[in-house]
Amino acid sequence: MTDATETLRVLLPDDEDWLSLFMGMEEPLLMQLALNTRAVQEGDEEVWELPPGLDGVGVQEAWGRLFQALPEPLRHTGTNIARSQPNRDRPAGRYALYAPDGRWEHTALYPTDIDPRDVATVAAVLDHFRTAIEGKDHTQLADFLQQMADDWADPGREGNDRQMVDDFARGLSVLRLPHQPDVDVLLEAVAGAGPGDGAPGRIVLAPAQEDAYQTFMRRVSAAVAGNSPHDYALHRYANN
């Protein structure tokens, strides 16, 4: 007998700022961690010495399941950031979300079922990263992080391992937002969003739903911003 998959319904924005951070979690960090773990398993001695509890393969697989759990419109945005996409390539289930006046288009929100165990697995590696950059780790993880940061820095510039880890945390943070009453209001408002017959191409929020939207998106914006100054207006309205 196997354990039943545990799922948690969350609300995620079709927002390029957040999706760029989420996509950036895998490369280079999780991808290189997985390669290092596989090298250790194969007996390669030319590898980074990482904490024994850090399973790079398992963490990358957990991230992959989170990515696959995203609705098609979010996966499409995440893999096509900064690319111009013809209307004929519009993914199934994409819709437009509007303020009560029907004029202002908001960033669309999508109900998503994720496994909280996958979130916890990725969050655990974030704890390892933070311990390493604080100098409290006694393996080569801090050196690994600095090397990854240097490899991905602009030519002639030293990489910023702290910023890289902070970006990783910001990408994860939207998946870890506390479930508050505004989420329930919005889940009901966009319940029909997604692929399938009868899925709406346009949803106009009622005034109470608009209040919930503004509250929720303030929390999203704060999570995406992290410790950096950020303009909340970027997340109030659709990117395109």
Side-chain angles (χ1 to χ4, degrees):
M1 179 179 294
T2 59
D3 294 336
T5 301
E6 179 184 1
T7 60
L8 175 68
R9 176 148 290 195
V10 297
L11 197 61
L12 299 177
D14 191 0
D15 176 78
E16 286 192 359
D17 286 353
W18 168 61
L19 285 165
S20 178
L21 291 167
F22 178 76
M23 298 300 293
M25 293 169 67
E26 185 185 34
E27 190 175 3
L29 288 177
L30 298 186
M31 184 177 295
Q32 293 300 320
L33 281 174
L35 288 173
N36 196 84
T37 296
R38 290 190 179 97
V40 170
Q41 293 170 346
E42 293 167 1
D44 189 344
E45 296 181 357
E46 296 297 321
V47 293
W48 296 99
E49 179 195 354
L50 303 180
L54 202 169
D55 175 11
V57 173
V59 176
Q60 187 186 30
E61 290 176 347
W63 182 92
R65 288 190 293 270
L66 291 171
F67 173 75
Q68 290 301 322
L70 298 180
E72 186 176 349
L74 300 190
R75 282 186 275 117
H76 181 272
T77 298
T79 54
N80 291 282
I81 290 171
R83 300 177 185 174
S84 176
Q85 295 292 307
N87 287 336
R88 67 175 180 272
D89 294 335
R90 181 185 179 96
R94 176 165 285 177
Y95 76 102
L97 181 66
Y98 287 88
D101 61 12
R103 294 175 54 203
W104 295 103
E105 184 177 356
H106 286 322
T107 297
L109 303 174
Y110 290 88
T112 307
D113 293 322
I114 60 174
D115 189 332
R117 293 172 294 188
D118 289 333
V119 177
T121 296
V122 179
V125 80
L126 174 60
D127 290 339
H128 280 298
F129 291 160
R130 285 174 165 161
T131 298
I133 63 176
E134 290 169 0
K136 300 176 182 178
D137 180 77
H138 300 294
T139 69
Q140 294 178 316
L141 181 55
D143 295 332
F144 168 87
L145 293 171
Q146 185 60 58
Q147 183 65 59
M148 294 302 102
D150 288 342
D151 288 348
W152 283 71
D154 293 334
R157 301 190 64 177
E158 182 179 358
N160 187 331
D161 57 344
R162 289 183 178 273
Q163 183 62 57
M164 184 173 63
V165 172
D166 183 56
D167 288 348
F168 188 98
R170 290 159 62 204
L172 181 62
S173 63
V174 173
L175 295 170
R176 303 176 77 189
L177 287 175
H179 191 104
Q180 296 187 4
D182 52 72
V183 174
D184 292 321
V185 172
L186 291 170
L187 284 173
E188 182 176 356
V190 302
D197 295 337
R202 172 187 175 103
I203 295 175
V204 179
L205 296 175
Q209 294 168 341
E210 172 71 10
D211 290 343
Y213 180 90
Q214 296 297 332
T215 299
F216 177 71
M217 292 306 282
R218 286 190 184 93
R219 295 198 287 128
V220 169
S221 186
V224 173
N227 296 322
S228 304
H230 199 74
D231 185 358
Y232 161 62
L234 291 178
H235 300 285
R236 289 184 61 198
Y237 302 110
N239 291 310
N240 48 52

